Amino acid sequence: RGRVFSPNGLLKLVFVKPAGRILGVHICGDDACELIHYGMELVKGRRTIEDLRSSLYSAVTYHELYKIAAEAAMDEQGARKR
């Protein structure tokens, strides 16, 4: 699981560990309704954690939380320190 915490919410990626294919997304908190659609597209498109890690966002957006969660998924120990 890749997770991102904020004072007002949580974003969690559920994925198959060897392949990294994203199976589901859990989001709760502020603006969750704006972010869940992107998660649905990731699942539908059979995207992987590596796809998210290599994604580029044109500006700082809430969608960048997905990339941060993917980074946390690949570095569990580092994610726990944040």
Side-chain angles (χ1 to χ4, degrees), residues 14-51:
V14 181
F15 64 98
V16 178
K17 201 152 195 164
R21 189 168 61 86
I22 299 167
L23 300 175
V25 176
H26 299 200
I27 302 176
C28 58
D30 297 341
D31 297 316
C33 62
E34 301 296 330
L35 293 169
I36 196 63
H37 297 96
Y38 184 59
M40 291 168 45
E41 286 300 316
L42 294 173
V43 173
K44 184 178 176 183
R46 303 177 63 86
R47 303 283 300 275
T48 67
I49 292 295
E50 197 55 45
D51 291 336

Side-chain angles (χ1 to χ4, degrees), residues 1-6 9-15 24-27 49 64-82:
R1 294 177 295 177
R3 293 182 286 189
V4 175
F5 291 97
S6 80
L10 163 82
L11 185 148
K12 179 171 69 171
L13 300 174
V14 181
F15 64 98
V25 176
H26 299 200
I27 302 176
I49 292 295
E64 193 171 11
L65 291 172
Y66 282 95
K67 184 174 183 174
I68 294 168
E71 292 289 343
M74 300 309 286
D75 181 16
E76 258 182 67
Q77 295 300 328
R80 293 178 195 272
K81 292 178 185 176
R82 292 182 199 141

